[in-house]
Amino acid sequence: MTNHSETAGPFGNGDISGHDPAAGPADHTAQVTLRTPAELADALPYLLGYRPEDSMVLVALHDRGGSGRFGGRARLGIPASEEDWEAAARQLARGLVTGSERRGARPEGMVAYVCQEPGPGESGREVKQRLTRLAQLMRTECGSLDVPVVEALCISDGRFWSYCCPVKGCCPEDGSPMGLPGTSVLAAAATYAGLQVRGTLKELRARLQPWESAAALDQEVALDTAGMSLVPRILDERTREEVAEETLVLAGRIIRRFAAAAPVSGAHPADVRDDGLLGADEAAALILGLQDRTTRDRAAAWMEGDIAGPALRLWRALARRCVGPYSEHAAAPLTLAGWVAWSTGDELEAREALAMALGADPDYLFARLLHQACNEGLDPEAVRRCLRAQDAQNTGNTENRENTENAQSTQDTGTPPVRTARQTDPAPRQAPAETTQNQVPAPRTPADGPASGPRPGGQRRRRTRSADGDDHRPAARTRTDRRRPAGSCPRSTAPGAARPGIRGASTRRTRTTGPGDTPTGGVPPEGGRPRTEGDA
């Protein structure tokens, strides 16, 4: 690999799709042999799934009968201060080696990359010289772990340089030009395998970042207004469940609206279309409602099938609406976006969305658990089973509670409860797109009844309410020992709980939850039940 004038041995592209090298080859048997630094430089976007910018990257190599195969990949942004380079190089090397060992395949070698575009008045050659120390630190940290770096490359301004070439005068001082994108043998093989390079990391993150346009002010005002009405209801034990149901019903309606929208080509036009389908008031209500962990976990059940795509679009759109002082609120929609992306097989977007969620709130436990599980290559089906069971339990509990209350009402009054048709909210002006022609199944929400199917005519049970407001609840439901004492404050929980935002001259938004909140979420423990986020 370090001899630039001869072949140093084949390096197959068997791990380009992210398979563990120890698990055997992928379904297709085609292999691509990389022999030169130019081919290694060209391979980097296909190994990561995007074109890295301002990045330091390590790619593990595993020996297979004299042939090297790509293994795990690890990337970090290049720290702005050189004082942090050593710590970043150590974190990158140890993280990749430790992760490979955990999967049972310690790497035999590494390929190191430093990628950065020139600054104003700077050339690619000067970038290569400036990053020489960083590349050396990466080689040193890998060597301290007994994993040699067989090649270290700098990629900048459409050219590449090798830090490992032992032949003086072999490589041009101004670097070698990169090949045209998509023209290499590896690019052809990746296209044949259905793999794509999805632009740059900056473009991927732009789909999840808050607005910075003039419309951001209107969204901030909508969040302020919604907070004044929703926050007291979320903090009140008696009305908190009502807010959860309203949030899920509204989210389901918008998901159906997204599914019925005409498709457009390109990521940016698609995001602009989705932004136009979501009103500022609707976004504000959803963002604040999803700060409740139980509501968020129930929304996470929309993770597979035809509904997953529109749901992912909604979570992206909500993340873009967490503007100004509401940036921390983005942890919930970003976590949902990362979870749905991971559940549907898009590990690249999943890792970035979950990393951004942790950037918005480093203590957000659900995001931390999912991020760790995704990075370690775990199967998301374990989490899916947990959420399916939880969704079925929530639906059953809602039905059982209604049946119990209706039976008690009949026993106390001698009059059977009256069923009334559920009055739905009027659809917004985009509603004409929501027609019966939409083939995407509607997400099941609390108002839809049990999983066995909706009641005819959209009916749901409701308690009879007398003229004086008595709903004939049993006495046990209204005892004073079930209410919060007058003048008391709602119990505060640790980070990760409901975090509705209230703005005011001396009010600081905090993450709070009502008494008795025992939501679950995250990666299930060994017992098969969901792990509680009591300290999230």
Side-chain angles (χ1 to χ4, degrees):
M1 183 69 67
T2 57
N3 188 341
H4 289 207
S5 59
E6 297 179 5
T7 300
F11 280 82
N13 189 32
D15 192 41
I16 192 171
S17 59
H19 293 282
D20 189 339
D27 295 337
H28 54 82
T29 58
Q31 295 185 2
V32 177
T33 301
L34 307 180
R35 295 184 171 88
T36 66
E39 292 173 334
L40 284 175
D42 179 74
L44 181 59
Y46 298 96
L47 295 174
L48 297 179
Y50 58 91
R51 302 186 185 279
E53 295 177 328
D54 196 26
S55 301
M56 46 193 296
V57 182
L58 285 176
V59 180
L61 297 175
H62 299 269
D63 186 19
R64 282 277 183 87
S67 298
R69 300 181 67 85
F70 288 125
R73 301 84 153 157
R75 187 206 72 88
L76 282 177
I78 297 178
S81 174
E82 293 190 21
E83 297 178 355
D84 299 326
W85 284 3
E86 184 175 359
R90 183 179 302 112
Q91 176 185 354
L92 192 67
R94 293 185 179 181
L96 181 54
V97 172
T98 301
S100 298
E101 289 176 338
R102 188 180 296 114
R103 292 187 291 269
R106 180 181 174 85
E108 284 80 22
M110 294 279 192
V111 178
Y113 299 85
V114 289
C115 310
Q116 194 173 70
E117 290 304 302
E122 190 178 28
S123 66
R125 178 181 177 183
E126 291 172 334
V127 172
K128 180 257 183 181
Q129 294 173 346
R130 177 166 52 81
L131 297 180
T132 298
R133 177 173 172 267
L134 177 59
Q136 184 60 40
L137 288 171
M138 296 170 66
R139 297 175 67 184
T140 301
E141 292 297 334
C142 291
S144 67
L145 299 173
D146 295 326
V147 182
V149 173
V150 298
E151 183 62 274
L153 299 173
C154 175
I155 300 176
S156 178
D157 197 24
R159 309 181 78 84
F160 71 90
W161 293 260
S162 171
Y163 292 110
C164 296
C165 182
V167 182
K168 186 177 181 179
C170 171
C171 300
E173 293 186 358
D174 291 332
S176 303
M178 298 280 294
L180 294 176
T183 60
S184 65
V185 175
L186 178 60
T191 302
Y192 178 76
L195 302 176
Q196 297 180 354
V197 176
R198 298 164 54 181
T200 65
L201 190 60
K202 182 178 180 180
E203 293 171 346
L204 177 62
R205 288 176 173 171
R207 308 191 71 183
L208 303 168
Q209 290 176 336
W211 282 351
E212 295 182 356
S213 61
L217 180 59
D218 293 336
Q219 184 61 63
E220 184 177 338
V221 172
L223 285 163
D224 290 340
T225 304
M228 288 187 290
S229 62
L230 285 178
V231 169
R233 297 177 61 204
I234 294 175
L235 297 179
D236 191 328
E237 181 183 5
R238 297 166 298 179
T239 57
R240 183 179 183 184
E241 186 176 347
E242 294 179 4
V243 177
E245 293 187 1
E246 292 169 4
T247 301
L248 294 172
V249 169
L250 176 60
R253 184 165 69 239
I254 297 175
I255 286 175
R256 292 192 294 272
R257 187 188 307 165
F258 278 18
V264 296
S265 178
H268 179 67
D271 292 341
V272 172
R273 173 205 58 196
D274 292 343
D275 289 338
L277 294 173
L278 179 63
D281 294 339
E282 293 173 324
L286 291 176
I287 290 171
L288 295 174
L290 289 173
Q291 303 310 306
D292 178 72
R293 295 177 301 178
T294 304
T295 308
R296 177 208 64 195
D297 291 347
R298 294 169 69 179
W302 302 333
M303 62 199 166
E304 55 190 342
D306 293 336
I307 196 176
L312 176 57
R313 289 161 51 193
L314 174 59
W315 309 143
R316 288 196 200 114
L318 293 180
R320 295 192 293 268
R321 302 295 186 100
C322 295
V323 297
Y326 293 89
S327 59
E328 290 186 0
H329 289 64
L334 284 171
T335 301
L336 289 172
W339 160 236
V340 177
W342 183 34
S343 178
T344 54
D346 190 348
E347 295 184 3
L348 172 59
E349 181 170 359
R351 285 191 295 268
E352 292 304 319
L354 293 171
M356 292 176 66
L358 291 174
D361 184 352
D363 297 322
Y364 207 69
L365 182 58
F366 192 25
R368 195 187 322 147
L369 293 172
L370 292 176
H371 191 250
Q372 180 179 356
C374 182
N375 285 335
E376 292 183 357
L378 301 183
D379 187 356
E381 178 58 25
V383 188
R384 282 195 292 261
R385 287 197 301 267
C386 172
L387 290 173
R388 291 190 199 107
Q390 179 177 306
D391 183 51
Q393 181 180 4
N394 288 333
T395 304
N397 288 342
T398 301
E399 178 68 11
N400 291 337
R401 184 172 61 253
E402 290 182 351
N403 290 339
T404 301
E405 292 175 349
N406 289 335
Q408 185 64 45
S409 176
T410 302
Q411 179 179 354
D412 294 343
T413 65
T415 304
V418 178
R419 294 186 182 180
T420 58
R422 178 168 57 91
Q423 182 69 30
T424 58
D425 297 332
R429 56 188 174 186
Q430 295 89 351
E434 302 176 28
T435 65
T436 56
Q437 298 177 355
N438 178 22
Q439 300 299 319
V440 177
R444 191 167 68 251
T445 61
D448 294 328
S452 59
R455 297 186 179 90
Q459 302 265 337
R460 69 170 296 179
R461 295 185 181 92
R462 288 200 174 184
R463 294 183 295 273
T464 304
R465 189 175 297 272
S466 60
D468 60 357
D470 180 18
D471 59 358
H472 306 295
R473 289 175 180 260
R477 303 286 294 181
T478 59
R479 290 182 305 185
T480 57
D481 59 344
R482 298 294 296 275
R483 296 175 178 268
R484 185 184 307 116
S488 64
C489 297
R491 186 172 56 199
S492 176
T493 63
R499 300 181 294 116
I502 305 178
R503 296 194 66 212
S506 61
T507 303
R508 179 180 179 183
R509 293 187 306 279
T510 59
R511 295 183 295 274
T512 59
T513 183
D517 178 26
T518 56
T520 59
V523 179
E526 295 179 0
R529 297 181 61 187
R531 183 179 314 214
T532 61
E533 290 189 0
D535 59 348

